[in-house]
């Protein structure tokens, strides 16, 4: 990718080393997209600093309807380029630039820290943080990273955004950030007012908001909005008194490990999982079940959390957090394992506080908040947005973190704002994209989730259904020769299978099966019990054919499977 003539001339006149390099796109992107690296100093405040390469992608259109849109994902440390198609769909009629954070997965150097993943997992394999695995992991990672980490902070990342606009030759563009990157984009807008057309802040995280200090209250607020605050409190109390052990897989080695989770650990898992649209709808029912001690329902969250631990570059994450976020918190509690891990790592890394202050912009700003955001309650986002001179706030129902990723209305609202900052939302933000699975909507059981990984676990159901059909056919043929019991057993078994199939088919959102099954299956379980009893009586009556032992045995196995495992 070459520089535009004005940008190239400016670079030559200033004598700086900044420029761009072409590079193959590291993730699937839409047609018409090219990728490269922005070359910038590792530290702009240091003489003869090393050069770092910041990955970016540009999707161009022939006749843009307005200024380009530049997007960076949150984190810190989350990659961005894989979202190029999503951003391009929001702004189909203009150029889209998706920019990585320096130190991220698609930038060079890449500040990865597999030691952090291993250390965090080891801490959860014990009953408390006394082992010191996190401290050892933090020291090991810090010793391996050769970059000057003082250059990997919000101020420098925001300056990269400004530099990329100038280098690509755009007069103005609209800035789009989510979560952590809202801070960086707002700072970039303040640093580059003449180059900022508008700003979109999704899941806005104000500079004045102390993330670590507010974390417990923010989680409690999320539970309150979900309508299960009392059950949430009970869940935390119960599991703090008696932690639960669960098996999962090490995300690096794929080896089976057993983690021990307290109530505060489980609360942290809930917060980390809310951004997943497959998890948020089940939280009310899940929390209710956990409060009653059904800890086997945690397996989906534990597995998902282990998998997402490799989804960010932890070296970049801690470089930013330890310089920009940690020093502004009083750290009143380290009960949440994310707070404990960050406290341990920042103590080991001893990076200087950046001392940065909040930034404002006079450009039009759209602030989006999810109703169930676990990091910051929507009402606090609304209050913070009022300090931005030209901001408009919009809350979206049924959404947690990252409105644009899960809400079609959110994407339409962003698109309308980019076309006209004064345009109202073109849809109803109060309409949730998915219904919540409330307590009582399902019969709580981990069976549904287990069968997604082990389909053979439903083999007893298949065998029972097949034998029931054979019983119906055989009983109908021999009804005059003592086959009535067999016929009735087959009809009861077939009726249960029909009810179960209908109730499963009628569920509109399959995510409910992660924590339970339709309640009618619980009550219909009387049918296979009756079928089994009839089959046993039919098999052991005088002069009964030996073949009738098969449905009787199958019924006994199926009933034990249904009551002992499924229900």
């Amino acid at each position: 990718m070459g520089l535009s003539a004005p940008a190239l001339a400016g670079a030559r006149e200033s004598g700086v080393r900044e420029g761009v390099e072409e590079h193959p796109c590291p993730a699937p992107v839409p047609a018409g997209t090219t990728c490269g690296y922005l070359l910038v100093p590792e530290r702009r405040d240091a003489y003869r600093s090393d050069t770092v390469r910041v990955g970016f992608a540009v999707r161009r259109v022939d006749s843009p309807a307005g200024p380009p849109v530049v997007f960076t994902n949150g984190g810190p440390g989350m990659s961005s380029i894989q979202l190029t198609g999503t951003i391009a769909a929001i702004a189909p009629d203009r150029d889209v630039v998706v920019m990585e954070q320096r130190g991220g997965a698609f930038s060079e150097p890449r500040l990865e820290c597999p030691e952090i993943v291993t250390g965090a997992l080891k801490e959860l394999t014990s009953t408390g943080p006394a082992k010191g695995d996190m401290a050892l992991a933090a020291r090991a990672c810090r010793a391996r990273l050769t970059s000057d980490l003082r250059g990997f902070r919000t101020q420098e990342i925001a300056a990269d955004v400004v530099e990329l606009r100038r280098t690509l030759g755009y007069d103005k563009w609209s800035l789009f950030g989510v979560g952590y990157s809202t801070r960086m984009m707002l700072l970039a807008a303040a640093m580059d007012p003449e180059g900022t057309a508008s700003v979109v802040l999704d899941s806005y995280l104000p500079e004045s908001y102390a993330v670590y200090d507010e974390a417990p209250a923010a989680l409690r607020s999320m539970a309150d909005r979900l309508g299960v605050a009392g059950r949430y409190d009970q869940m935390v109390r119960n599991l703090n008194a008696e932690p639960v052990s669960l098996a999962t897989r090490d995300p690096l080695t794929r080896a089976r490990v057993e983690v021990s989770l307290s109530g505060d650990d489980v609360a942290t898992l809930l917060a980390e999982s809310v951004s997943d649209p497959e998890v948020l709808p089940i939280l009310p029912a899940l929390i209710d079940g956990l409060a009653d001690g059904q800890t086997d329902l945690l397996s989906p969250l534990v597995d998902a959390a282990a998998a997402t631990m490799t989804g960010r570059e932890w070296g970049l994450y801690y470089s930013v957090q330890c310089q920009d976020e940690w020093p502004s918190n009083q750290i009143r509690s380290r009960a949440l394992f994310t707070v404990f891990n960050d406290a341990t790592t920042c103590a080991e890394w001893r990076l200087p506080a950046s001392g940065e202050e909040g930034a404002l912009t006079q450009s039009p700003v759209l602030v989006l908040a999810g109703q169930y955001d676990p990091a910051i309650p929507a009402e606090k986002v609304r209050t913070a947005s009022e300090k931005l001179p030209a901001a408009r706030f919009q809350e979206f129902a049924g959404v947690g973190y990252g409105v644009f990723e899960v809400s079609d209305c959110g994407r339409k609202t962003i698109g309308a704002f980019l076309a006209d900052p004064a345009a109202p939302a073109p849809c109803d933000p109060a309409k949730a994209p998915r219904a919540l699975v409330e307590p009582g909507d399902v019969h709580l059981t981990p069976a549904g989730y287990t069968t997604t990984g082990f389909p053979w676990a439903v083999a007893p159901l298949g065998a029972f259904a097949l034998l029931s059909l054979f019983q119906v056919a055989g009983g109908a043929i021999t009804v005059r020769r003592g086959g009535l019991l067999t016929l009735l057993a087959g009809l009861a078994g077939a009726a249960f299978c029909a009810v179960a199939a209908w109730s499963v088919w009628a569920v509109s959102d399959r995510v409910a099966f992660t924590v339970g099954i339709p309640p009618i299956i619980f009550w219909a379980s009387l049918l296979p019990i009756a079928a089994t009893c009839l089959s046993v009586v039919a098999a052991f009556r005088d002069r009964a054919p030996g073949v009738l032992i098969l449905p009787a045995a199958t019924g006994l196995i199926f009933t034990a499977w249904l009551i002992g495992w499924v229900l």
Side-chain angles (χ1 to χ4, degrees):
M1 179 185 299
L3 290 171
S4 65
L8 180 58
R12 286 174 177 167
E13 289 174 3
S14 64
V16 297
R17 293 171 293 161
E18 287 88 348
V20 293
E21 290 180 351
E22 289 188 55
H23 190 268
C25 291
V29 293
T33 301
T34 54
C35 297
Y37 290 126
L38 173 71
L39 277 60
V40 289
E42 186 174 58
R43 288 182 59 189
R44 290 176 171 85
D45 61 348
Y47 179 65
R48 298 179 64 87
S49 176
D50 289 341
T51 297
V52 298
R53 290 171 169 80
V54 181
F56 68 92
V58 182
R59 193 291 310 264
R60 291 188 172 86
V61 295
D62 292 333
S63 300
V69 178
V70 58
F71 170 82
T72 298
N73 206 356
M78 304 294 288
S79 57
S80 305
I81 290 178
Q82 76 279 2
L83 293 171
T84 303
T86 302
I87 308 304
I90 293 174
D93 56 355
R94 60 189 66 207
D95 288 1
V96 166
V97 181
V98 175
M99 187 175 183
E100 295 294 316
Q101 298 165 21
R102 55 168 58 202
F106 301 141
S107 296
E108 294 181 359
R110 179 181 179 182
L111 301 186
E112 56 183 336
C113 263
E115 301 92 342
I116 293 293
V117 177
T118 300
L121 199 60
K122 285 184 177 179
E123 288 288 359
L124 291 176
T125 60
S126 67
T127 57
K131 290 174 61 176
D133 291 294
M134 196 63 200
L136 292 173
R139 287 198 292 270
C141 178
R142 184 65 185 90
R144 183 177 50 78
L145 295 176
T146 58
S147 300
D148 186 346
L149 298 185
R150 291 173 293 177
F152 295 85
R153 56 192 180 96
T154 304
Q155 181 79 26
E156 292 285 6
I157 298 173
D160 293 342
V161 176
V162 177
E163 189 61 42
L164 184 61
R165 180 192 67 78
R166 294 169 178 166
T167 302
L168 295 179
Y170 290 122
D171 294 331
K172 283 181 177 290
W173 62 8
S174 295
L175 307 174
F176 181 2
V178 56
Y180 159 72
S181 66
T182 60
R183 289 182 171 178
M184 172 255 293
M185 287 301 190
L186 196 55
L187 181 57
M191 297 168 63
D192 187 30
E194 72 282 358
T196 302
S198 59
V199 184
V200 176
L201 305 176
D202 186 343
S203 304
Y204 177 37
L205 203 59
E207 183 71 24
S208 59
Y209 187 74
V211 172
Y212 298 111
D213 290 344
E214 299 288 347
L219 279 175
R220 181 59 165 67
S221 175
M222 178 191 72
D224 188 38
R225 284 174 172 250
L226 288 167
V228 289
R231 302 295 280 167
Y232 171 86
D233 293 339
Q234 184 176 345
M235 173 200 75
V236 173
R237 285 195 303 269
N238 291 350
L239 290 173
N240 277 340
E242 188 175 348
V244 59
S245 294
L246 291 170
T248 187
R249 290 195 179 274
D250 185 312
L252 298 178
T253 67
R254 303 308 299 162
R256 298 292 291 181
V257 295
E258 189 170 277
V259 296
S260 177
L261 303 175
S262 68
D264 293 316
D265 295 334
V266 172
T268 310
L269 279 180
L270 295 176
E272 295 294 308
S273 303
V274 169
S275 60
D276 186 341
E278 299 298 309
V279 172
L280 177 59
I282 67 173
L283 286 185
L286 175 61
I287 292 172
D288 185 65
L290 293 175
D292 284 336
Q294 294 182 259
T295 54
D296 49 0
L297 298 173
L298 277 171
S299 292
L301 265 65
V302 174
D303 292 344
T308 56
M309 288 178 72
T310 58
R312 75 172 78 208
E313 305 311 308
W314 290 103
L316 172 58
Y317 172 85
Y318 283 119
S319 295
V320 173
Q321 292 296 93
C322 295
Q323 295 181 84
D324 296 342
E325 178 62 43
W326 188 258
S328 63
N329 287 257
Q330 298 179 18
I331 317 302
R332 291 183 285 267
S333 172
R334 301 188 183 189
L336 302 180
F337 68 73
T338 49
V339 179
F340 169 80
N341 291 347
D342 291 9
T344 303
T345 302
C346 290
E348 293 293 336
W349 285 22
R350 299 180 182 179
L351 293 173
S354 64
E356 296 169 4
E357 297 181 357
L360 298 177
T361 179
Q362 299 296 323
S363 302
V365 179
L366 174 64
V367 178
L368 299 88
Q371 180 184 10
Y372 305 122
D373 194 322
I376 176 171
E379 59 267 19
K380 292 195 174 184
V381 177
R382 181 192 298 272
T383 300
S385 68
E386 294 172 354
K387 299 179 182 179
L388 301 173
R392 176 161 61 91
F393 171 83
Q394 185 64 67
E395 180 180 342
F396 289 81
V399 177
Y401 168 87
V403 174
F404 83 98
E405 291 196 79
V406 296
S407 170
D408 182 62
C409 184
R411 291 187 288 272
K412 290 178 179 178
T413 301
I414 295 170
F417 171 80
L418 293 173
D420 178 9
C427 46
D428 184 6
K431 184 178 180 180
R434 303 174 78 160
L436 295 176
V437 181
E438 302 286 354
D441 287 351
V442 294
H443 175 74
L444 296 173
T445 171
Y449 176 73
T450 302
T451 57
T452 61
F454 303 96
W456 54 263
V458 297
L461 174 60
F464 180 75
L466 186 62
L467 264 295
S468 295
L469 293 177
F470 280 133
Q471 284 181 296
V472 171
I477 294 172
T478 62
V479 66
R480 292 186 177 181
R481 300 192 302 275
L484 180 60
L485 291 177
T486 299
L487 175 62
L488 293 175
L491 289 173
F496 170 79
C497 294
V499 169
W502 171 82
S503 64
V504 169
W505 177 81
V507 174
S508 58
D509 194 343
R510 303 291 165 171
V511 72
F513 296 124
T514 307
V515 290
I517 57 176
I520 193 173
I521 295 179
F522 176 81
W523 299 110
S525 62
L526 294 174
L527 289 171
I529 294 174
T532 299
C533 292
L534 291 169
S535 296
V536 170
V537 172
F540 289 96
R541 60 185 171 81
D542 290 341
R543 294 186 296 278
V547 71
L548 295 183
I549 293 294
L550 182 59
T554 301
L556 289 171
I557 294 173
F558 175 73
T559 302
W561 173 84
L562 178 65
I563 297 175
W565 182 63
V566 175
L567 301 180

